[in-house]
């Protein structure tokens, strides 16, 4: 028998299109979403407002498949980390961070990462492919099932787990559409954030398709320094990146801001002159700043700055008028903090290298279907 079509991961437009292809009315797609996401019913037989014929057809041809949970870890501070199986042997990580009434979910979009930022352990694992939309949105369904036991649900999603979301554009777009759709998870667009190391064509393309929130991993105020930390900066330098950011934030409108992420590494990018240079670089961008004290991992070669240096850095930015938060480290007893997510990535450098070699041609040519 042919494999069934997994309806998790199809956003409303895709479900409606599928139904129209089948000669059914488009609104049946919305009905099904409500059953699955609002009622938690994935048994087509129980979807009583659908014609019997449709229910039978769906039973035969479609399914709702969540990715498989390989393991789950609970931190002393309430953080939860899931290892999720992707494909044959790969594992990616999803982290839930409960904090003062918020439940923020950090979601992975790729198995490993090709960008190889010098201070991120995910990049060191190599790369073994993209998650599909069901595997991305499935991470939210898994976290919600856990939270349902406490009568809670995920309130915020950040695409800050493993991978570079804008290099898996179509799947990330469909997954975030589902997260923000009132017929599905219904999160506000302010509460779903894609984080990118600076894939400029992806940023430019976002505004043709979505108004999701955006975070930029900047980490340095000069091209010279940034290129050593975030190699994709050689292809899309800071000025080009910030031009794309300004365009996107203009498109989002005056009530919205971008988030600038800046991981602080001792003696590398944490000096006062870096802070002052950052103020200049960000002057014409509507943004707030998240400072992330470096989270160590074996062999990284970097260290976290002293607290006093972190506060001094923050003070420079705040005095210049930027809302500046210091991200507290959560879940480090279960290796769930930013940059500690490694999962288990099968292939290593070969596939990563092949992918990098192709990046040059592929990034400008990215297409959304
Ligand atoms: N590829 C995307 C999303 C994944 S990384 C991006 O680059 O934005 C999510 C955030 O964690 C990024 O800002 C990244 O730079 C930061 N990060 C990575 N490794 C880290 C580490 N060891 N300590 C602190 N932050 C880290």
């Amino acid at each position: 028998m042919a494999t069934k079509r997994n309806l998790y991961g199809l956003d409303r437009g895709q479900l409606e299109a599928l139904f129209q292809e089948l000669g059914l009315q488009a609104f049946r797609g919305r009905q099904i979403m409500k059953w699955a996401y609002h009622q938690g019913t994935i048994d087509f037989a129980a979807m009583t407002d659908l014609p019997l014929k449709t229910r039978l057809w769906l039973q035969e041809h479609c399914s709702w498949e969540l990715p498989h949970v390989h393991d789950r870890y609970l931190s002393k501070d309430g953080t939860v980390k899931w290892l999720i199986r992707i494909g044959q042997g790969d594992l990616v990580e999803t982290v839930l961070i409960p904090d003062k009434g918020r439940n923020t979910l950090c979601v992975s979009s790729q198995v490993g990462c090709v960008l190889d930022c010098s201070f991120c352990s995910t990049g060191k694992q190599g790369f073994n492919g993209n998650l599909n939309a069901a595997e991305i949105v499935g991470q939210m369904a898994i976290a919600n099932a856990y939270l349902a036991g406490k009568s809670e649900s995920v309130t915020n999603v950040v695409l800050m787990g493993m991978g570079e979301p804008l290099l898996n554009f179509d799947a990330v777009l469909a997954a975030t559409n589902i997260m923000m759709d009132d017929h599905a998870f219904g999160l506000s667009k302010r509460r779903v954030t894609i984080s990118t190391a600076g894939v400029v064509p992806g940023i430019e393309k976002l505004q043709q398709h979505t108004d999701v929130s955006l975070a930029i991993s900047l980490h340095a105020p000069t091209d010279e320094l940034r290129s050593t930390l975030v190699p994709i900066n050689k292809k899309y330098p800071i000025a080009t990146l910030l031009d794309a950011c300004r365009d996107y934030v203009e498109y989002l409108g005056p009530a919205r801001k971008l988030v600038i992420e800046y991981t602080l590494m001792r003696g590398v990018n944490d000096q006062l002159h870096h802070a002052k240079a950052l103020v200049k670089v960000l002057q014409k961008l509507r943004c707030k700043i998240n400072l992330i004290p470096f989270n160590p991992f074996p062999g990284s070669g970097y260290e976290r700055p002293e607290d006093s240096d972190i506060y001094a850095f923050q003070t420079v930015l705040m005095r210049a008028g930027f809302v500046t938060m210091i991200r507290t480290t959560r879940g480090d007893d279960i290796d769930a903090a930013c940059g500690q997510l490694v999962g288990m990535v099968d292939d290593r450098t070969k596939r990563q290298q092949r992918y990098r070699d192709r990046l040059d041609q592929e990034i400008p040519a990215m297409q959304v279907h």
Side-chain angles (χ1 to χ4, degrees):
M1 201 180 78
T3 46
K4 293 185 177 183
R5 181 82 186 257
N6 187 4
L7 300 188
Y8 266 121
L10 295 186
D11 65 22
R12 192 186 338 162
Q14 292 167 327
L15 262 181
E16 288 178 349
L18 175 71
F19 273 46
Q20 275 173 327
E21 260 170 50
L22 301 171
L24 299 168
Q25 290 131 306
F27 78 92
R28 299 289 181 205
R30 300 197 286 277
Q31 270 178 316
I32 289 208
M33 289 183 91
K34 282 190 169 173
W35 278 109
Y37 297 106
H38 291 184
Q39 315 286 341
T41 300
I42 55 170
D43 175 7
F44 295 113
M47 301 183 179
T48 44
D49 53 357
L50 295 175
L52 184 61
K53 224 172 79 188
T54 310
R55 281 185 259 163
L56 291 175
W57 188 91
L58 286 167
Q59 265 176 324
E60 202 177 324
H61 297 281
C62 300
S63 64
W64 297 93
E65 300 289 336
L66 284 180
H68 178 77
V69 175
H70 178 79
D71 218 338
R72 190 181 77 186
Y73 305 87
L74 302 175
S75 160
K76 291 197 291 273
D77 66 14
T79 302
V80 186
K81 178 170 93 171
W82 286 269
L83 276 179
I84 311 267
R85 172 157 315 142
I86 304 296
Q88 296 305 310
D90 293 317
L91 298 173
V92 298
E93 307 192 1
T94 306
V95 179
L96 173 69
I97 307 149
D99 188 31
K100 300 186 201 97
R102 276 190 188 194
N103 287 310
T104 302
L105 191 69
C106 182
V107 166
S108 291
S109 57
Q110 294 186 308
V111 182
C113 190
V114 292
L115 295 184
D116 203 21
C117 299
S118 64
F119 54 92
C120 177
S121 58
T122 299
K124 310 283 169 237
Q125 295 293 299
F127 173 74
N128 201 17
N130 286 327
L131 271 61
N132 62 37
E135 290 162 339
I136 299 171
V137 83
Q139 297 171 58
M140 181 160 178
I142 287 165
N144 269 343
Y146 166 84
L147 286 168
K150 309 169 183 234
S151 304
E152 292 181 28
S153 57
V154 170
T155 60
N156 297 64
V157 174
V158 290
L159 274 284
M160 294 182 190
M162 293 167 67
E164 168 51 49
L166 292 183
L167 291 181
N168 184 11
F169 195 95
D170 292 0
V172 164
L173 180 66
T176 50
N177 282 344
I178 296 167
M179 291 165 181
M180 298 188 292
D181 191 330
D182 285 340
H183 293 82
F185 293 107
L187 290 186
S188 117
K189 55 199 174 191
R190 294 162 186 276
R191 290 169 176 258
V192 179
T193 304
I194 291 177
S195 176
T196 179
V199 179
V200 167
I203 298 171
E204 289 169 348
K205 208 164 65 172
L206 277 178
Q207 60 181 290
Q208 297 159 30
H209 301 280
T210 180
D211 56 0
V212 71
S213 297
L214 186 64
I216 306 292
S217 293
L218 194 64
H219 309 312
T222 63
D223 283 323
E224 195 189 355
L225 178 56
R226 189 166 192 266
S227 292
T228 66
L229 303 173
V230 184
I232 198 176
N233 190 70
K234 291 180 209 140
K235 189 161 175 56
Y236 304 113
I238 294 175
T240 311
L241 173 59
L242 294 184
D243 273 349
C245 289
R246 271 187 285 276
D247 269 4
Y248 191 68
V249 81
E250 280 316 309
Y251 153 79
L252 291 182
R256 311 253 317 259
K257 283 182 177 172
L258 245 57
V259 172
I260 295 293
E261 293 165 280
Y262 194 104
T263 297
L264 285 164
M265 289 160 267
R266 182 196 295 218
V268 174
N269 64 353
D270 65 339
Q271 305 294 303
L272 290 183
H273 71 87
H274 294 122
K276 287 176 191 156
L278 188 60
V279 165
K280 284 213 179 105
V281 165
L282 294 179
Q283 221 147 40
K284 293 204 181 81
L285 182 67
R286 201 161 60 237
C287 65
K288 52 189 176 185
I289 302 170
N290 265 348
L291 298 176
I292 316 171
F294 174 69
N295 291 309
F297 57 90
S300 72
Y302 293 107
E303 287 173 294
R304 177 183 295 219
E306 297 294 336
D307 283 353
S308 54
D309 289 339
I310 298 173
Y311 293 128
F313 198 97
Q314 180 190 32
T315 304
V316 172
L317 300 175
M318 303 240 287
R319 287 219 174 111
F322 291 98
V323 173
T324 308
M325 313 288 284
I326 298 171
R327 197 179 291 168
T328 46
T329 301
R330 297 288 304 268
D332 53 351
D333 55 334
I334 56 168
D335 286 341
C338 294
Q340 291 182 325
L341 303 186
V342 293
M344 208 173 83
V345 180
D346 193 19
D347 195 359
R348 306 279 151 145
T349 39
K350 271 198 207 130
R351 190 179 301 239
Q352 191 179 28
Q353 191 52 52
R354 249 183 286 141
Y355 195 88
R356 277 202 203 114
D357 292 344
R358 283 187 354 228
L359 269 182
D360 273 5
Q361 295 96 54
E362 286 199 354
I363 293 182
M366 280 196 311
Q367 288 290 325
V368 174
H369 307 294

Coordinates of all heavy atoms in Angstrom, one line a residue, residues 119-120 159-161 163-165 195-197 217 219 261 263 292-295 297 338-339, ligand 1:
F119 N 31.6 29.2 17.6 CA 31.3 29.0 19.1 C 30.1 28.2 19.3 O 29.6 28.1 20.4 CB 31.1 30.4 19.7 CG 30.0 31.2 18.9 CD1 28.7 31.1 19.3 CD2 30.3 31.9 17.8 CE1 27.7 31.7 18.6 CE2 29.3 32.5 17.0 CZ 28.0 32.4 17.5
C120 N 29.6 27.5 18.3 CA 28.3 26.8 18.4 C 28.6 25.3 18.2 O 29.2 24.8 17.2 CB 27.3 27.2 17.4 SG 25.8 26.3 17.4
L159 N 12.8 29.6 16.8 CA 13.5 28.7 15.9 C 15.0 28.9 16.2 O 15.7 29.4 15.3 CB 13.2 28.9 14.4 CG 11.9 28.2 13.8 CD1 12.1 26.8 13.5 CD2 10.7 28.5 14.6
M160 N 15.4 28.5 17.4 CA 16.8 28.7 17.8 C 17.4 27.4 18.2 O 18.4 27.4 18.9 CB 16.8 29.7 19.0 CG 16.4 31.1 18.6 SD 16.5 32.2 20.0 CE 15.7 33.7 19.3
G161 N 16.8 26.3 17.8 CA 17.4 25.0 18.1 C 18.5 24.7 17.1 O 19.2 25.6 16.6
G163 N 20.3 24.0 13.7 CA 20.0 24.3 12.3 C 19.9 25.8 12.0 O 19.7 26.6 12.9
E164 N 19.9 26.1 10.7 CA 19.6 27.4 10.2 C 18.3 27.5 9.5 O 18.1 27.0 8.4 CB 20.8 27.8 9.2 CG 20.5 29.1 8.4 CD 20.1 30.3 9.3 OE1 20.7 30.6 10.3 OE2 19.1 30.9 8.9
P165 N 17.3 28.0 10.2 CA 15.9 28.0 9.6 C 15.7 28.5 8.2 O 15.0 27.9 7.4 CB 15.1 28.8 10.6 CG 15.9 29.0 11.8 CD 17.3 28.7 11.4
S195 N 15.1 32.6 14.0 CA 16.4 33.2 14.2 C 17.4 32.8 13.1 O 17.5 31.6 12.8 CB 16.9 32.6 15.6 OG 18.3 33.1 15.8
T196 N 18.1 33.8 12.6 CA 19.0 33.5 11.5 C 20.4 34.0 11.7 O 20.6 35.1 12.3 CB 18.5 34.0 10.1 OG1 19.5 33.7 9.1 CG2 18.3 35.5 10.2
A197 N 21.4 33.3 11.2 CA 22.8 33.7 11.3 C 23.1 34.8 10.2 O 24.2 35.3 10.2 CB 23.8 32.6 11.2
S217 N 21.4 36.7 14.6 CA 22.5 36.4 15.4 C 23.7 37.2 14.9 O 24.4 36.8 13.9 CB 22.8 34.9 15.3 OG 21.8 34.2 15.8
H219 N 26.5 39.1 16.9 CA 27.7 38.7 17.7 C 28.9 39.5 17.5 O 29.9 39.2 18.2 CB 28.0 37.2 17.3 CG 26.9 36.2 17.5 ND1 26.1 36.2 18.5 CD2 26.5 35.3 16.6 CE1 25.2 35.2 18.4 NE2 25.4 34.7 17.2
E261 N 20.6 39.2 18.5 CA 21.3 38.3 19.5 C 22.8 38.5 19.4 O 23.4 38.6 18.3 CB 21.0 36.8 19.1 CG 19.5 36.5 19.3 CD 19.2 35.2 18.6 OE1 19.0 35.2 17.4 OE2 19.2 34.1 19.3
T263 N 26.0 36.8 21.4 CA 26.7 35.9 22.3 C 28.0 36.5 22.8 O 28.8 36.9 21.9 CB 26.9 34.5 21.7 OG1 25.6 34.0 21.3 CG2 27.6 33.6 22.6
I292 N 23.7 37.0 25.1 CA 23.7 35.6 25.5 C 25.1 35.3 26.1 O 26.0 35.2 25.3 CB 23.4 34.7 24.4 CG1 22.2 35.2 23.5 CG2 23.1 33.2 24.9 CD1 22.0 34.4 22.2
P293 N 25.3 35.2 27.4 CA 26.6 34.8 27.9 C 27.0 33.5 27.3 O 26.1 32.5 27.3 CB 26.4 34.8 29.4 CG 25.2 35.6 29.7 CD 24.3 35.4 28.5
F294 N 28.2 33.3 26.8 CA 28.6 32.1 26.1 C 28.4 30.9 27.0 O 28.7 30.9 28.1 CB 30.1 32.2 25.7 CG 30.6 30.9 25.2 CD1 30.2 30.5 23.9 CD2 31.5 30.2 25.9 CE1 30.7 29.3 23.4 CE2 32.0 29.0 25.4 CZ 31.6 28.5 24.1
N295 N 27.8 29.8 26.4 CA 27.6 28.6 27.1 C 28.7 27.6 26.7 O 28.8 27.3 25.5 CB 26.3 27.9 26.8 CG 25.1 28.8 27.4 OD1 25.2 29.1 28.5 ND2 24.2 29.1 26.5
F297 N 31.2 24.4 26.0 CA 31.1 23.0 25.7 C 32.5 22.5 25.5 O 33.4 23.3 25.2 CB 30.2 22.7 24.5 CG 30.6 23.4 23.2 CD1 31.5 22.8 22.3 CD2 30.1 24.7 22.9 CE1 31.9 23.5 21.1 CE2 30.5 25.4 21.8 CZ 31.4 24.8 20.9
C338 N 21.6 27.4 25.0 CA 21.9 27.9 23.6 C 23.3 27.4 23.2 O 24.3 27.5 24.0 CB 22.0 29.4 23.5 SG 20.6 30.3 23.8
G339 N 23.4 26.8 22.0 CA 24.7 26.4 21.5 C 25.2 25.1 22.1 O 26.3 24.6 21.7
Ligands
LIG1 N1 21.1 29.2 13.1 C1 20.3 30.1 13.8 C2 19.5 29.5 15.0 C3 20.3 28.6 15.9 S1 21.4 29.2 17.1 C4 21.0 31.3 14.2 O1 22.2 31.4 14.1 O2 20.4 32.3 14.7 C5 20.5 30.1 18.3 C6 21.3 31.1 19.1 O3 22.3 30.6 20.0 C7 22.1 32.0 18.1 O4 22.1 33.3 18.4 C8 23.5 31.4 18.3 O5 24.5 32.3 17.9 C9 23.5 31.2 19.8 N2 24.6 30.3 20.3 C10 25.2 29.3 19.6 N3 26.1 28.7 20.3 C11 26.1 29.3 21.5 C12 26.9 29.1 22.7 N4 27.8 28.2 22.8 N5 26.6 30.0 23.8 C13 25.7 30.9 23.6 N6 25.0 31.1 22.6 C14 25.2 30.3 21.5

